[in-house]
Amino acid sequence: MDNAKTLQSYNDHIDDYIAGTPQQIELDFKDWVDAALTVIPPGATVLEIGSGFGRDADYIESKGFKVIRTDAAKGFVDLLINKGHEARLLDALKDSFGTNLDMIFAHAVLLHFDPDQVLMVINKAHDCLKSGGVFAFSLKEGTGSEWSEAKLNSPRYFKYWSEADLKSLLNNSAFKNFEVSKRDSGRDMWLQVIAKK
């Protein structure tokens, strides 16, 4: 599945995305992030894939961790740099994540990929983590896939997941230690993963 159209929609509608997104992370979402952070050493470095306007990175840094901010949409990278942060372009499907990482964090990113791409990214993340490292990511619960113009009035690809299908995919991945939790945001039901190497 070609991700270029989805990325173009983000680049063309940065302001719309920010306006339609909660500016603070919400309680049960915060619980998931906090749970993932307890697995890694205090002060560790977190590679964030899909930093967007930086909300989640700001929260993780407020807990004493260092965040490497990245996004595949140049508009978000430029925005983060203009806010005074270091940030770089990183396409999860094409680019290296680096090596020996404590944690990789990807909220609402892998939902734009088809199942083969999701499995590839999960295995790539596993290979880039140090022993005991964590890959925390989230997907939307549901069935099927679609091109949706919701929120941005511009097409983005979404693949929806059942908890059973997600656990089956994880069982076929390089990760053998993982947990899946659910969160109802009031708009969507999220599946939240903490996978440990």
Side-chain angles (χ1 to χ4, degrees), residues 152-167:
L152 302 188
N153 294 313
S154 189
R156 292 180 294 162
Y157 174 83
F158 290 89
K159 170 71 177 88
Y160 303 105
W161 291 80
S162 70
E163 185 174 0
D165 284 347
L166 177 54
K167 287 181 175 178

Side-chain angles (χ1 to χ4, degrees), residues 123-180:
N123 286 334
K124 184 160 70 165
H126 179 275
D127 292 346
C128 295
L129 291 168
K130 62 177 62 172
S131 179
V134 172
F135 183 31
F137 67 93
S138 62
L139 299 164
K140 285 185 179 180
E141 187 176 49
T143 57
S145 62
E146 67 174 338
W147 285 92
S148 171
E149 295 196 359
K151 196 170 177 177
L152 302 188
N153 294 313
S154 189
R156 292 180 294 162
Y157 174 83
F158 290 89
K159 170 71 177 88
Y160 303 105
W161 291 80
S162 70
E163 185 174 0
D165 284 347
L166 177 54
K167 287 181 175 178
S168 176
L169 185 86
L170 284 161
N171 279 323
N172 288 318
S173 79
F175 285 101
K176 301 309 170 198
N177 182 359
F178 60 84
E179 59 183 58
V180 179

Side-chain angles (χ1 to χ4, degrees), residues 3 21 30 33 40 73 78 91 112 114 131 137 145 149 159 169 175 178 181 192-193 195:
N3 200 39
T21 303
K30 187 185 294 186
V33 177
I40 61 174
D78 291 343
D91 185 321
H112 294 308
D114 66 36
S131 179
F137 67 93
S145 62
E149 295 196 359
K159 170 71 177 88
L169 185 86
F175 285 101
F178 60 84
S181 57
Q192 303 167 321
V193 177

Side-chain angles (χ1 to χ4, degrees):
M1 209 281 303
D2 185 2
N3 200 39
K5 187 187 293 187
T6 297
L7 286 177
Q8 190 61 51
S9 292
Y10 278 113
N11 274 314
D12 290 344
H13 298 277
I14 299 288
D15 291 341
D16 292 328
Y17 178 81
I18 295 171
T21 303
Q23 301 302 296
Q24 302 293 326
I25 73 172
E26 297 152 336
L27 289 177
D28 40 2
F29 173 65
K30 187 185 294 186
D31 291 343
W32 167 61
V33 177
D34 288 345
L37 294 173
T38 63
V39 184
I40 61 174
T45 297
V46 177
L47 172 68
E48 183 180 29
I49 299 170
S51 294
F53 59 94
R55 181 197 68 183
D56 300 346
D58 290 345
Y59 177 75
I60 293 169
E61 283 190 340
S62 78
K63 297 295 182 178
F65 297 89
K66 174 176 169 45
V67 180
I68 302 169
R69 291 167 168 82
T70 77
D71 207 286
K74 186 176 184 299
F76 281 127
V77 174
D78 291 343
L79 176 70
L80 292 167
I81 291 171
N82 288 336
K83 285 183 171 183
H85 299 293
E86 289 186 21
R88 62 182 171 90
L89 277 171
L90 189 149
D91 185 321
L93 298 176
K94 300 174 183 176
D95 299 330
S96 169
F97 299 162
T99 57
N100 209 33
L101 297 167
D102 291 297
M103 180 173 169
I104 300 171
F105 180 79
H107 171 50
V109 176
L110 276 62
L111 48 72
H112 294 308
F113 305 153
D114 66 36
D116 289 342
Q117 291 170 326
V118 172
L119 182 60
M120 181 270 288
V121 171
I122 290 171
N123 286 334
K124 184 160 70 165
H126 179 275
D127 292 346
C128 295
L129 291 168
K130 62 177 62 172
S131 179
V134 172
F135 183 31
F137 67 93
S138 62
L139 299 164
K140 285 185 179 180
E141 187 176 49
T143 57
S145 62
E146 67 174 338
W147 285 92
S148 171
E149 295 196 359
K151 196 170 177 177
L152 302 188
N153 294 313
S154 189
R156 292 180 294 162
Y157 174 83
F158 290 89
K159 170 71 177 88
Y160 303 105
W161 291 80
S162 70
E163 185 174 0
D165 284 347
L166 177 54
K167 287 181 175 178
S168 176
L169 185 86
L170 284 161
N171 279 323
N172 288 318
S173 79
F175 285 101
K176 301 309 170 198
N177 182 359
F178 60 84
E179 59 183 58
V180 179
S181 57
K182 283 191 183 186
R183 175 179 75 97
D184 185 352
S185 71
R187 298 174 300 277
D188 302 288
M189 186 68 78
W190 290 89
L191 297 172
Q192 303 167 321
V193 177
I194 299 173
K196 184 177 179 181
K197 184 172 179 177

